[in-house]
Amino acid sequence: MSLDTRPLAIFLMGPTASGKTALACELADRFPLGLVSVDSALVYRGLDIGAAKPDAATLARHPHELIDIRDPAQPYSAADFRVDARAAMRRIGAQGRVPLLVGGTGLYFRALQQGLSDLPEADPATRARLAAEARQLGWPAMHARLASLDPLAAGRIGRNDVQRLQRALEVIELTGRPLSELQRGGAVTVFPWRVLKLALLPDDRHVLHERIARRFDAMLVEGFLDEVRALRARGDLHADLPAIRAVGYRQAWEHLDGRTDAATFRERAIFATRQLAKRQITWLRSDVGARIFDPDRSGLGERVGTALGLFVDGLAGVMPST
């Protein structure tokens, strides 16, 4: 068996509110690591409190690549992330460090390591028409349409996962072929890094749910609604943008539109966050190559650090050749 000489990269994955950022910073204090955010909300400037973005002090001590790299009016795709993340990983390797990619956006991790199918570029006119139809019919009805056209894709995409649902319908309209069929045709290439996957998966889902609720209440105290009011005041943002569809922001936008009262807003935002965590956990459990750690057991940093030390200590050559 030949020796794998590719440089090392570490994926630190987990559901929302599982303590990924704190653990990544702790590990960066112990090992020669460079941190890369893998989060579809943290890429946007101005999405701070509601996205649980690391504060200024944390980022000053532990800089993260791919945070605050887009304006909320500008969409950011998995293809964009793949390009940006690879560039960031090469920069980190050139500095003699190991890239540690931390976050919970499974689509980004998958696109980075496995590549993307040869799909058509986004078409603004088609997207605008689909969004208009959804406003009239509702996204559950659009999901039913997808189920009739592409049952495999509909089975993977939730009824309220607006961004992926819209993209699947867009691809069908642009190509006349199901998204699931096109995705099977993607080219397979060797990832330039060998990957150590670390997954934070709580054994007790109830504890995670309580932590999500506490964190959201803390966000409200910190001024989350004022943050969303500032975004609305710009005048160029709307509810169909990917940034505003982020969990928490979508519910806050609806509340400030007068569509929900304060109690309903809180309930819906916490529920949506729990559903996000559920999807993230389901995805992580399907990844048989990940080393799993319960974040609620004591000594998490020591346990993960011990596993990581076997791979990082004495590592030579962290720069990929391609």
Side-chain angles (χ1 to χ4, degrees), residues 214-273:
R214 288 196 304 271
R215 186 178 72 169
F216 186 75
D217 287 337
M219 290 174 177
L220 292 177
V221 172
E222 291 171 21
F224 175 40
L225 282 176
D226 287 337
E227 177 175 283
V228 180
R229 288 189 184 97
L231 292 170
R232 290 166 62 90
R234 288 179 35 157
D236 63 335
L237 304 179
H238 54 82
D240 291 326
L241 286 168
I244 307 305
R245 290 201 301 260
V247 167
Y249 288 89
R250 181 191 313 171
Q251 291 76 24
W253 204 271
E254 292 173 351
H255 172 57
L256 295 176
D257 274 341
R259 296 165 60 184
T260 59
D261 59 25
T264 303
F265 154 57
R266 177 184 180 276
E267 177 183 342
R268 289 185 176 180
I270 291 174
F271 177 77
T273 308

Short mmCIF file of all heavy atoms in Angstrom, two decimals, residues 214-273:
data_model
loop_
_atom_site.label_atom_id
_atom_site.label_comp_id
_atom_site.label_asym_id
_atom_site.label_seq_id
_atom_site.Cartn_x
_atom_site.Cartn_y
_atom_site.Cartn_z
N ARG A 214 -31.40 28.94 24.65
CA ARG A 214 -30.67 29.91 25.47
C ARG A 214 -29.85 30.85 24.59
O ARG A 214 -29.79 32.07 24.84
CB ARG A 214 -29.76 29.19 26.47
CG ARG A 214 -30.49 28.51 27.61
CD ARG A 214 -29.52 28.17 28.74
NE ARG A 214 -28.39 27.37 28.29
CZ ARG A 214 -28.38 26.04 28.26
NH1 ARG A 214 -29.45 25.36 28.66
NH2 ARG A 214 -27.31 25.37 27.85
N ARG A 215 -29.22 30.30 23.58
CA ARG A 215 -28.40 31.13 22.71
C ARG A 215 -29.26 32.14 21.95
O ARG A 215 -28.88 33.31 21.79
CB ARG A 215 -27.61 30.27 21.72
CG ARG A 215 -26.62 31.07 20.89
CD ARG A 215 -25.80 30.22 19.95
NE ARG A 215 -26.60 29.73 18.84
CZ ARG A 215 -26.09 29.14 17.75
NH1 ARG A 215 -24.78 28.96 17.67
NH2 ARG A 215 -26.86 28.72 16.78
N PHE A 216 -30.44 31.71 21.51
CA PHE A 216 -31.30 32.65 20.78
C PHE A 216 -31.79 33.76 21.69
O PHE A 216 -31.82 34.94 21.29
CB PHE A 216 -32.48 31.93 20.15
CG PHE A 216 -33.31 32.83 19.27
CD1 PHE A 216 -32.85 33.19 18.02
CD2 PHE A 216 -34.51 33.34 19.72
CE1 PHE A 216 -33.58 34.06 17.22
CE2 PHE A 216 -35.26 34.20 18.93
CZ PHE A 216 -34.79 34.56 17.67
N ASP A 217 -32.15 33.43 22.91
CA ASP A 217 -32.57 34.46 23.85
C ASP A 217 -31.43 35.45 24.13
O ASP A 217 -31.66 36.65 24.27
CB ASP A 217 -33.06 33.82 25.15
CG ASP A 217 -34.42 33.16 25.00
OD1 ASP A 217 -35.17 33.54 24.08
OD2 ASP A 217 -34.73 32.25 25.80
N ALA A 218 -30.21 34.93 24.20
CA ALA A 218 -29.06 35.82 24.39
C ALA A 218 -28.88 36.72 23.18
O ALA A 218 -28.51 37.91 23.32
CB ALA A 218 -27.80 34.99 24.64
N MET A 219 -29.13 36.20 21.98
CA MET A 219 -29.05 37.03 20.78
C MET A 219 -30.05 38.18 20.83
O MET A 219 -29.74 39.31 20.44
CB MET A 219 -29.31 36.18 19.53
CG MET A 219 -28.23 35.19 19.18
SD MET A 219 -28.75 34.14 17.79
CE MET A 219 -27.27 33.16 17.55
N LEU A 220 -31.24 37.90 21.30
CA LEU A 220 -32.25 38.95 21.41
C LEU A 220 -31.79 40.05 22.37
O LEU A 220 -31.95 41.25 22.09
CB LEU A 220 -33.58 38.36 21.88
CG LEU A 220 -34.29 37.43 20.89
CD1 LEU A 220 -35.55 36.85 21.52
CD2 LEU A 220 -34.63 38.16 19.59
N VAL A 221 -31.19 39.64 23.48
CA VAL A 221 -30.69 40.61 24.45
C VAL A 221 -29.55 41.44 23.85
O VAL A 221 -29.43 42.65 24.10
CB VAL A 221 -30.23 39.90 25.74
CG1 VAL A 221 -29.52 40.86 26.68
CG2 VAL A 221 -31.41 39.24 26.44
N GLU A 222 -28.73 40.80 23.02
CA GLU A 222 -27.58 41.49 22.42
C GLU A 222 -27.99 42.46 21.32
O GLU A 222 -27.17 43.27 20.88
CB GLU A 222 -26.60 40.46 21.85
CG GLU A 222 -25.89 39.63 22.91
CD GLU A 222 -25.09 38.49 22.30
OE1 GLU A 222 -24.78 38.58 21.09
OE2 GLU A 222 -24.81 37.52 23.01
N GLY A 223 -29.25 42.38 20.87
CA GLY A 223 -29.71 43.33 19.85
C GLY A 223 -29.93 42.74 18.48
O GLY A 223 -29.79 43.45 17.47
N PHE A 224 -30.30 41.48 18.40
CA PHE A 224 -30.50 40.82 17.11
C PHE A 224 -31.53 41.57 16.25
O PHE A 224 -31.31 41.81 15.06
CB PHE A 224 -30.91 39.37 17.32
CG PHE A 224 -31.26 38.63 16.06
CD1 PHE A 224 -30.52 38.80 14.91
CD2 PHE A 224 -32.33 37.75 16.02
CE1 PHE A 224 -30.83 38.11 13.73
CE2 PHE A 224 -32.65 37.06 14.87
CZ PHE A 224 -31.90 37.24 13.73
N LEU A 225 -32.66 41.95 16.85
CA LEU A 225 -33.68 42.63 16.05
C LEU A 225 -33.18 43.99 15.55
O LEU A 225 -33.52 44.40 14.43
CB LEU A 225 -34.96 42.78 16.86
CG LEU A 225 -35.82 41.51 16.97
CD1 LEU A 225 -37.01 41.74 17.87
CD2 LEU A 225 -36.28 41.07 15.58
N ASP A 226 -32.39 44.68 16.33
CA ASP A 226 -31.82 45.94 15.86
C ASP A 226 -30.88 45.69 14.67
O ASP A 226 -30.80 46.51 13.74
CB ASP A 226 -31.06 46.63 16.99
CG ASP A 226 -31.99 47.23 18.03
OD1 ASP A 226 -33.15 47.51 17.70
OD2 ASP A 226 -31.55 47.41 19.19
N GLU A 227 -30.16 44.58 14.72
CA GLU A 227 -29.29 44.22 13.60
C GLU A 227 -30.11 44.02 12.33
O GLU A 227 -29.73 44.51 11.24
CB GLU A 227 -28.53 42.94 13.94
CG GLU A 227 -27.63 42.42 12.82
CD GLU A 227 -26.83 41.21 13.27
OE1 GLU A 227 -25.83 41.41 13.99
OE2 GLU A 227 -27.20 40.07 12.92
N VAL A 228 -31.24 43.33 12.44
CA VAL A 228 -32.07 43.09 11.26
C VAL A 228 -32.74 44.39 10.81
O VAL A 228 -32.89 44.63 9.61
CB VAL A 228 -33.12 42.00 11.56
CG1 VAL A 228 -34.00 41.75 10.33
CG2 VAL A 228 -32.43 40.69 11.96
N ARG A 229 -33.12 45.25 11.76
CA ARG A 229 -33.68 46.55 11.38
C ARG A 229 -32.66 47.35 10.55
O ARG A 229 -33.03 48.03 9.58
CB ARG A 229 -34.07 47.34 12.63
CG ARG A 229 -35.31 46.82 13.34
CD ARG A 229 -35.77 47.77 14.44
NE ARG A 229 -36.90 47.23 15.18
CZ ARG A 229 -36.81 46.57 16.33
NH1 ARG A 229 -35.59 46.39 16.89
NH2 ARG A 229 -37.88 46.09 16.93
N ALA A 230 -31.40 47.28 10.93
CA ALA A 230 -30.36 47.99 10.18
C ALA A 230 -30.22 47.43 8.77
O ALA A 230 -30.02 48.18 7.80
CB ALA A 230 -29.03 47.91 10.92
N LEU A 231 -30.33 46.12 8.63
CA LEU A 231 -30.28 45.51 7.30
C LEU A 231 -31.47 45.96 6.45
O LEU A 231 -31.32 46.27 5.26
CB LEU A 231 -30.25 43.99 7.42
CG LEU A 231 -28.99 43.38 8.04
CD1 LEU A 231 -29.20 41.89 8.32
CD2 LEU A 231 -27.78 43.57 7.13
N ARG A 232 -32.64 46.00 7.05
CA ARG A 232 -33.85 46.43 6.32
C ARG A 232 -33.75 47.89 5.91
O ARG A 232 -34.22 48.29 4.82
CB ARG A 232 -35.08 46.22 7.20
CG ARG A 232 -35.46 44.77 7.41
CD ARG A 232 -36.47 44.61 8.55
NE ARG A 232 -37.71 45.30 8.28
CZ ARG A 232 -38.76 44.76 7.67
NH1 ARG A 232 -38.70 43.50 7.24
NH2 ARG A 232 -39.86 45.44 7.47
N ALA A 233 -33.13 48.69 6.75
CA ALA A 233 -33.05 50.13 6.49
C ALA A 233 -32.18 50.44 5.28
O ALA A 233 -32.28 51.54 4.72
CB ALA A 233 -32.50 50.85 7.72
N ARG A 234 -31.34 49.50 4.86
CA ARG A 234 -30.52 49.74 3.66
C ARG A 234 -31.39 49.98 2.43
O ARG A 234 -31.02 50.74 1.54
CB ARG A 234 -29.60 48.54 3.41
CG ARG A 234 -28.47 48.42 4.38
CD ARG A 234 -27.61 47.20 4.09
NE ARG A 234 -27.48 46.86 2.68
CZ ARG A 234 -26.49 46.14 2.16
NH1 ARG A 234 -25.53 45.69 2.97
NH2 ARG A 234 -26.44 45.86 0.89
N GLY A 235 -32.51 49.26 2.34
CA GLY A 235 -33.42 49.44 1.23
C GLY A 235 -33.16 48.57 0.02
O GLY A 235 -34.01 48.49 -0.87
N ASP A 236 -32.00 47.90 -0.02
CA ASP A 236 -31.69 47.08 -1.19
C ASP A 236 -31.76 45.59 -0.90
O ASP A 236 -31.44 44.77 -1.78
CB ASP A 236 -30.30 47.43 -1.73
CG ASP A 236 -29.19 47.13 -0.73
OD1 ASP A 236 -29.48 47.12 0.49
OD2 ASP A 236 -28.04 46.91 -1.15
N LEU A 237 -32.17 45.21 0.30
CA LEU A 237 -32.25 43.81 0.67
C LEU A 237 -33.71 43.38 0.72
O LEU A 237 -34.60 44.19 1.02
CB LEU A 237 -31.58 43.56 2.03
CG LEU A 237 -30.11 44.00 2.14
CD1 LEU A 237 -29.60 43.73 3.55
CD2 LEU A 237 -29.25 43.29 1.11
N HIS A 238 -33.94 42.09 0.44
CA HIS A 238 -35.32 41.58 0.46
C HIS A 238 -35.31 40.14 0.93
O HIS A 238 -34.25 39.49 1.03
CB HIS A 238 -35.97 41.70 -0.92
CG HIS A 238 -35.18 41.05 -2.02
ND1 HIS A 238 -35.24 39.70 -2.29
CD2 HIS A 238 -34.30 41.57 -2.93
CE1 HIS A 238 -34.46 39.41 -3.31
NE2 HIS A 238 -33.87 40.53 -3.72
N ALA A 239 -36.49 39.61 1.20
CA ALA A 239 -36.62 38.32 1.87
C ALA A 239 -36.21 37.14 1.01
O ALA A 239 -36.05 36.03 1.53
CB ALA A 239 -38.06 38.13 2.36
N ASP A 240 -36.05 37.33 -0.30
CA ASP A 240 -35.68 36.20 -1.17
C ASP A 240 -34.18 36.04 -1.35
O ASP A 240 -33.73 35.10 -2.01
CB ASP A 240 -36.34 36.37 -2.55
CG ASP A 240 -37.85 36.18 -2.50
OD1 ASP A 240 -38.31 35.34 -1.69
OD2 ASP A 240 -38.56 36.86 -3.25
N LEU A 241 -33.38 36.94 -0.79
CA LEU A 241 -31.93 36.81 -0.88
C LEU A 241 -31.44 35.68 0.03
O LEU A 241 -31.98 35.48 1.13
CB LEU A 241 -31.25 38.11 -0.47
CG LEU A 241 -31.33 39.26 -1.48
CD1 LEU A 241 -30.89 40.56 -0.81
CD2 LEU A 241 -30.48 38.96 -2.71
N PRO A 242 -30.42 34.92 -0.39
CA PRO A 242 -29.90 33.85 0.47
C PRO A 242 -29.50 34.32 1.85
O PRO A 242 -29.74 33.62 2.84
CB PRO A 242 -28.68 33.35 -0.33
CG PRO A 242 -29.02 33.65 -1.75
CD PRO A 242 -29.78 34.95 -1.71
N ALA A 243 -28.92 35.51 1.97
CA ALA A 243 -28.51 36.00 3.29
C ALA A 243 -29.70 36.17 4.21
O ALA A 243 -29.66 35.80 5.39
CB ALA A 243 -27.76 37.33 3.14
N ILE A 244 -30.79 36.72 3.69
CA ILE A 244 -31.96 36.99 4.52
C ILE A 244 -32.76 35.72 4.77
O ILE A 244 -33.54 35.65 5.73
CB ILE A 244 -32.83 38.08 3.86
CG1 ILE A 244 -31.97 39.32 3.55
CG2 ILE A 244 -33.99 38.49 4.76
CD1 ILE A 244 -31.22 39.88 4.74
N ARG A 245 -32.55 34.70 3.96
CA ARG A 245 -33.23 33.42 4.20
C ARG A 245 -32.51 32.59 5.26
O ARG A 245 -32.97 31.50 5.61
CB ARG A 245 -33.33 32.62 2.90
CG ARG A 245 -34.30 33.21 1.89
CD ARG A 245 -34.76 32.17 0.89
NE ARG A 245 -33.67 31.59 0.14
CZ ARG A 245 -33.33 31.96 -1.09
NH1 ARG A 245 -33.99 32.93 -1.70
NH2 ARG A 245 -32.34 31.37 -1.74
N ALA A 246 -31.38 33.07 5.76
CA ALA A 246 -30.66 32.32 6.80
C ALA A 246 -31.55 32.14 8.02
O ALA A 246 -32.40 32.98 8.33
CB ALA A 246 -29.39 33.07 7.18
N VAL A 247 -31.36 31.01 8.70
CA VAL A 247 -32.18 30.70 9.87
C VAL A 247 -32.08 31.83 10.89
O VAL A 247 -30.99 32.31 11.21
CB VAL A 247 -31.72 29.37 10.50
CG1 VAL A 247 -32.33 29.18 11.88
CG2 VAL A 247 -32.11 28.21 9.60
N GLY A 248 -33.21 32.25 11.41
CA GLY A 248 -33.28 33.36 12.35
C GLY A 248 -33.56 34.67 11.65
O GLY A 248 -34.47 35.41 12.05
N TYR A 249 -32.82 34.97 10.60
CA TYR A 249 -33.02 36.21 9.86
C TYR A 249 -34.35 36.18 9.11
O TYR A 249 -35.06 37.19 9.05
CB TYR A 249 -31.85 36.45 8.90
CG TYR A 249 -30.60 36.85 9.64
CD1 TYR A 249 -29.70 35.88 10.10
CD2 TYR A 249 -30.32 38.18 9.93
CE1 TYR A 249 -28.57 36.22 10.81
CE2 TYR A 249 -29.18 38.54 10.64
CZ TYR A 249 -28.31 37.55 11.08
OH TYR A 249 -27.20 37.90 11.81
N ARG A 250 -34.69 35.05 8.53
CA ARG A 250 -35.96 34.94 7.82
C ARG A 250 -37.13 35.20 8.78
O ARG A 250 -38.05 35.96 8.47
CB ARG A 250 -36.11 33.54 7.21
CG ARG A 250 -37.40 33.34 6.43
CD ARG A 250 -37.60 31.88 6.09
NE ARG A 250 -36.40 31.26 5.54
CZ ARG A 250 -36.28 29.95 5.33
NH1 ARG A 250 -37.26 29.12 5.64
NH2 ARG A 250 -35.17 29.46 4.82
N GLN A 251 -37.07 34.58 9.97
CA GLN A 251 -38.15 34.75 10.93
C GLN A 251 -38.18 36.19 11.48
O GLN A 251 -39.26 36.73 11.72
CB GLN A 251 -37.98 33.74 12.07
CG GLN A 251 -38.21 32.29 11.66
CD GLN A 251 -37.06 31.69 10.87
OE1 GLN A 251 -35.92 32.15 10.98
NE2 GLN A 251 -37.35 30.65 10.10
N ALA A 252 -37.01 36.79 11.67
CA ALA A 252 -36.96 38.18 12.15
C ALA A 252 -37.53 39.13 11.10
O ALA A 252 -38.24 40.09 11.43
CB ALA A 252 -35.52 38.56 12.49
N TRP A 253 -37.22 38.87 9.84
CA TRP A 253 -37.73 39.72 8.75
C TRP A 253 -39.26 39.67 8.72
O TRP A 253 -39.92 40.71 8.59
CB TRP A 253 -37.16 39.22 7.42
CG TRP A 253 -37.11 40.26 6.34
CD1 TRP A 253 -38.09 40.55 5.44
CD2 TRP A 253 -36.01 41.12 6.03
NE1 TRP A 253 -37.68 41.54 4.59
CE2 TRP A 253 -36.40 41.91 4.92
CE3 TRP A 253 -34.74 41.31 6.56
CZ2 TRP A 253 -35.57 42.86 4.35
CZ3 TRP A 253 -33.91 42.26 6.00
CH2 TRP A 253 -34.32 43.02 4.91
N GLU A 254 -39.81 38.46 8.85
CA GLU A 254 -41.27 38.30 8.87
C GLU A 254 -41.88 39.03 10.07
O GLU A 254 -42.94 39.66 9.95
CB GLU A 254 -41.63 36.81 8.93
CG GLU A 254 -41.28 36.05 7.66
CD GLU A 254 -41.49 34.55 7.83
OE1 GLU A 254 -41.74 34.12 8.98
OE2 GLU A 254 -41.40 33.83 6.82
N HIS A 255 -41.22 38.94 11.23
CA HIS A 255 -41.71 39.61 12.42
C HIS A 255 -41.72 41.12 12.23
O HIS A 255 -42.72 41.81 12.58
CB HIS A 255 -40.83 39.23 13.61
CG HIS A 255 -41.12 40.00 14.86
ND1 HIS A 255 -42.36 40.03 15.46
CD2 HIS A 255 -40.33 40.79 15.63
CE1 HIS A 255 -42.32 40.80 16.54
NE2 HIS A 255 -41.10 41.26 16.66
N LEU A 256 -40.66 41.67 11.66
CA LEU A 256 -40.60 43.11 11.45
C LEU A 256 -41.52 43.57 10.33
O LEU A 256 -41.86 44.76 10.25
CB LEU A 256 -39.15 43.53 11.17
CG LEU A 256 -38.19 43.32 12.35
CD1 LEU A 256 -36.77 43.66 11.96
CD2 LEU A 256 -38.62 44.15 13.57
N ASP A 257 -41.95 42.63 9.50
CA ASP A 257 -42.99 42.93 8.50
C ASP A 257 -44.38 42.97 9.14
O ASP A 257 -45.37 43.29 8.45
CB ASP A 257 -42.99 41.86 7.40
CG ASP A 257 -42.00 42.16 6.28
OD1 ASP A 257 -41.58 43.34 6.17
OD2 ASP A 257 -41.65 41.24 5.53
N GLY A 258 -44.46 42.60 10.42
CA GLY A 258 -45.74 42.58 11.11
C GLY A 258 -46.52 41.30 10.94
O GLY A 258 -47.71 41.23 11.29
N ARG A 259 -45.87 40.25 10.44
CA ARG A 259 -46.58 39.00 10.17
C ARG A 259 -46.65 38.09 11.38
O ARG A 259 -47.43 37.14 11.40
CB ARG A 259 -45.90 38.27 9.00
CG ARG A 259 -45.99 39.06 7.69
CD ARG A 259 -45.02 38.56 6.64
NE ARG A 259 -45.26 37.16 6.30
CZ ARG A 259 -44.49 36.48 5.45
NH1 ARG A 259 -43.43 37.08 4.90
NH2 ARG A 259 -44.75 35.22 5.18
N THR A 260 -45.82 38.33 12.40
CA THR A 260 -45.86 37.53 13.62
C THR A 260 -45.66 38.45 14.82
O THR A 260 -45.03 39.50 14.71
CB THR A 260 -44.75 36.46 13.64
OG1 THR A 260 -43.46 37.11 13.52
CG2 THR A 260 -44.92 35.46 12.49
N ASP A 261 -46.20 38.02 15.97
CA ASP A 261 -45.91 38.75 17.19
C ASP A 261 -44.59 38.27 17.77
O ASP A 261 -43.96 37.34 17.24
CB ASP A 261 -47.05 38.61 18.20
CG ASP A 261 -47.34 37.16 18.60
OD1 ASP A 261 -46.42 36.31 18.49
OD2 ASP A 261 -48.47 36.87 19.00
N ALA A 262 -44.15 38.88 18.88
CA ALA A 262 -42.83 38.59 19.43
C ALA A 262 -42.71 37.13 19.87
O ALA A 262 -41.69 36.48 19.62
CB ALA A 262 -42.54 39.53 20.60
N ALA A 263 -43.74 36.63 20.50
CA ALA A 263 -43.68 35.25 21.00
C ALA A 263 -43.63 34.25 19.85
O ALA A 263 -42.87 33.27 19.89
CB ALA A 263 -44.89 34.96 21.89
N THR A 264 -44.42 34.49 18.82
CA THR A 264 -44.42 33.58 17.66
C THR A 264 -43.10 33.64 16.92
O THR A 264 -42.58 32.61 16.46
CB THR A 264 -45.58 33.94 16.71
OG1 THR A 264 -46.81 33.87 17.42
CG2 THR A 264 -45.63 32.98 15.53
N PHE A 265 -42.56 34.85 16.79
CA PHE A 265 -41.24 35.00 16.16
C PHE A 265 -40.19 34.17 16.89
O PHE A 265 -39.44 33.41 16.27
CB PHE A 265 -40.85 36.48 16.15
CG PHE A 265 -39.37 36.74 16.13
CD1 PHE A 265 -38.56 36.23 15.12
CD2 PHE A 265 -38.78 37.51 17.13
CE1 PHE A 265 -37.18 36.47 15.12
CE2 PHE A 265 -37.42 37.77 17.13
CZ PHE A 265 -36.62 37.25 16.12
N ARG A 266 -40.14 34.29 18.21
CA ARG A 266 -39.17 33.54 18.99
C ARG A 266 -39.37 32.03 18.80
O ARG A 266 -38.42 31.28 18.58
CB ARG A 266 -39.27 33.89 20.48
CG ARG A 266 -38.34 33.08 21.37
CD ARG A 266 -38.56 33.40 22.84
NE ARG A 266 -37.67 32.61 23.69
CZ ARG A 266 -37.95 31.37 24.09
NH1 ARG A 266 -39.08 30.79 23.72
NH2 ARG A 266 -37.07 30.72 24.85
N GLU A 267 -40.62 31.60 18.87
CA GLU A 267 -40.92 30.17 18.74
C GLU A 267 -40.50 29.65 17.38
O GLU A 267 -39.88 28.58 17.26
CB GLU A 267 -42.41 29.96 18.96
CG GLU A 267 -42.89 28.53 18.78
CD GLU A 267 -44.39 28.39 18.94
OE1 GLU A 267 -45.01 29.31 19.50
OE2 GLU A 267 -44.94 27.37 18.49
N ARG A 268 -40.80 30.40 16.32
CA ARG A 268 -40.48 29.94 14.96
C ARG A 268 -38.97 29.93 14.72
O ARG A 268 -38.46 29.03 14.04
CB ARG A 268 -41.18 30.83 13.93
CG ARG A 268 -42.68 30.61 13.87
CD ARG A 268 -43.30 31.42 12.74
NE ARG A 268 -44.73 31.14 12.62
CZ ARG A 268 -45.52 31.72 11.72
NH1 ARG A 268 -45.02 32.58 10.85
NH2 ARG A 268 -46.80 31.41 11.68
N ALA A 269 -38.28 30.94 15.23
CA ALA A 269 -36.83 31.00 15.03
C ALA A 269 -36.13 29.85 15.74
O ALA A 269 -35.22 29.22 15.18
CB ALA A 269 -36.30 32.34 15.51
N ILE A 270 -36.54 29.56 16.97
CA ILE A 270 -35.93 28.45 17.71
C ILE A 270 -36.26 27.13 17.04
O ILE A 270 -35.39 26.26 16.89
CB ILE A 270 -36.38 28.47 19.18
CG1 ILE A 270 -35.78 29.69 19.90
CG2 ILE A 270 -35.98 27.18 19.89
CD1 ILE A 270 -36.29 29.89 21.31
N PHE A 271 -37.50 26.97 16.60
CA PHE A 271 -37.88 25.73 15.90
C PHE A 271 -37.07 25.55 14.63
O PHE A 271 -36.57 24.45 14.34
CB PHE A 271 -39.37 25.75 15.58
CG PHE A 271 -39.84 24.54 14.81
CD1 PHE A 271 -40.03 23.33 15.46
CD2 PHE A 271 -40.06 24.62 13.44
CE1 PHE A 271 -40.45 22.21 14.74
CE2 PHE A 271 -40.47 23.50 12.72
CZ PHE A 271 -40.67 22.29 13.38
N ALA A 272 -36.91 26.63 13.85
CA ALA A 272 -36.14 26.53 12.60
C ALA A 272 -34.69 26.17 12.88
O ALA A 272 -34.07 25.42 12.12
CB ALA A 272 -36.23 27.86 11.84
N THR A 273 -34.14 26.70 13.97
CA THR A 273 -32.75 26.38 14.32
C THR A 273 -32.63 24.92 14.74
O THR A 273 -31.66 24.24 14.39
CB THR A 273 -32.26 27.30 15.45
OG1 THR A 273 -32.51 28.66 15.10
CG2 THR A 273 -30.77 27.12 15.68
#
